[in-house]
Amino acid sequence: MDVRIHWTYMTPKKREVVLTSDFIRAEEALVLAEDFEKTGRVKEIHFIDHRGVTWSKKELNKLLKEIEREPHDVIAYFDGGFDHATAKGGVGVVIYYKQNNERYRLRANLQLDELKSNNEAEYAAFWFLMQMLEELGVHHLPVTFRGDSHVVLKQLFGDWPCFEDDYNAWLDRIEEKMSELGIEPIYEPISRKQNKEADQLACQALAGQVITSMMELTEKGLGEK
């Protein structure tokens, strides 16, 4: 989680100056705030995240302690597929994360009946991913999103426009949930080969094989990602 430090500094001549830092890691911001306060010239200090939410030092410390006990260091993969013969869609997601100093992988998929194309299945897959992140309790931290649908990722990042109303509806739902959870997204388009886990899950969903599995990983297992 990145924040800006916003503080009121009192000069030796009792003049107040309001200062704001660049965005830095919340842990680093708290250490710097402690140093600022040791000068005895800080009148007020708080922290502002990317969403514009303001946190006191006490609130930010509490949040970081909560995050340590909850899923963090999250890397999330998604993929979607569509079978024109059956008019069914399949979505698959893989989430790697750390919790209580252990590392885990969550794999899940879902078959959907009301999609119209493979493109729409990609948006539905990202939405399914957001639902799984919410169930895990991921909030107020960065999440790296990876998928081979460069269109979806670049539209979410704002690089590419979206002209289809149906797709815009998916994007709106995704962005609303992202804001609600306080997630700071990092979008990383990857190749289909790099996305084979999520792709396999989407294919299995199309075949009617629904999967939800969780496993603890070794350091080596996660390092390969």
Side-chain angles (χ1 to χ4, degrees):
M1 178 180 180
D2 293 347
V3 296
R4 291 183 187 271
I5 309 173
H6 187 89
W7 74 104
T8 302
Y9 176 77
M10 186 76 71
T11 69
K13 293 184 178 181
K14 304 302 181 182
R15 179 188 173 193
E16 292 185 8
V17 181
V18 178
L19 302 169
T20 304
S21 74
D22 293 330
F23 278 108
I24 57 177
R25 297 296 301 159
E27 295 86 352
E28 182 183 355
L30 286 167
V31 172
L32 288 173
E34 292 282 353
D35 286 342
F36 296 162
E37 289 178 329
K38 288 176 183 178
T39 67
R41 292 179 180 169
V42 174
K43 184 177 180 180
E44 181 182 357
I45 190 164
H46 55 266
F47 309 87
I48 304 172
D49 65 22
H50 279 286
R51 300 174 301 137
V53 176
T54 299
W55 305 82
S56 69
K57 190 169 70 171
K58 181 178 179 180
E59 290 170 336
L60 189 57
N61 266 309
K62 181 180 178 181
L63 176 64
L64 293 181
K65 289 178 181 178
E66 289 176 352
I67 288 174
E68 184 62 30
R69 296 191 298 269
E70 296 172 356
H72 55 282
D73 291 355
V74 182
I75 301 176
Y77 295 77
F78 72 100
D79 198 20
F82 183 75
D83 186 345
H84 289 276
T86 61
K88 291 184 181 295
V91 297
V93 302
V94 185
I95 303 172
Y96 290 87
Y97 65 95
K98 185 176 180 181
Q99 186 173 17
N100 294 321
N101 296 317
E102 301 293 342
R103 297 179 183 273
Y104 299 92
R105 181 189 68 185
L106 170 65
R107 300 167 68 245
N109 66 1
L110 185 67
Q111 187 179 94
L112 301 170
D113 294 324
E114 298 181 0
L115 303 182
K116 301 175 183 177
S117 67
N118 190 77
N119 285 339
E120 188 176 11
E122 296 285 4
Y123 293 93
F126 202 106
W127 172 245
F128 179 55
L129 176 55
M130 293 305 302
Q131 292 176 305
M132 297 306 297
L133 289 172
E134 183 175 28
E135 286 187 20
L136 270 179
V138 175
H139 67 96
H140 295 98
L141 45 67
V143 173
T144 299
F145 293 98
R146 294 176 179 172
D148 57 76
S149 177
H150 294 203
V151 172
V152 172
L153 293 175
K154 287 185 177 294
Q155 285 177 344
L156 284 168
F157 186 73
D159 279 352
W160 293 357
C162 180
F163 301 106
E164 292 81 2
D165 290 341
D166 288 347
Y167 300 165
N168 268 317
W170 285 107
L171 292 172
D172 288 344
R173 292 170 68 189
I174 291 166
E175 290 172 343
E176 182 179 349
K177 182 60 67 177
M178 196 92 67
S179 177
E180 177 186 327
L181 297 178
I183 288 174
E184 302 169 20
I186 302 167
Y187 299 114
E188 294 186 357
I190 58 176
S191 67
R192 180 171 293 277
K193 182 179 180 180
Q194 293 172 303
N195 203 32
K196 58 184 180 181
E197 279 190 294
D199 175 67
Q200 181 181 7
L201 285 164
C203 291
Q204 288 172 315
L206 283 173
Q209 184 180 357
V210 179
I211 296 169
T212 302
S213 69
M214 177 87 69
M215 69 176 294
E216 184 177 339
L217 299 173
T218 64
E219 290 291 331
K220 180 180 177 181
L222 190 69
E224 292 170 353
K225 286 295 149 190

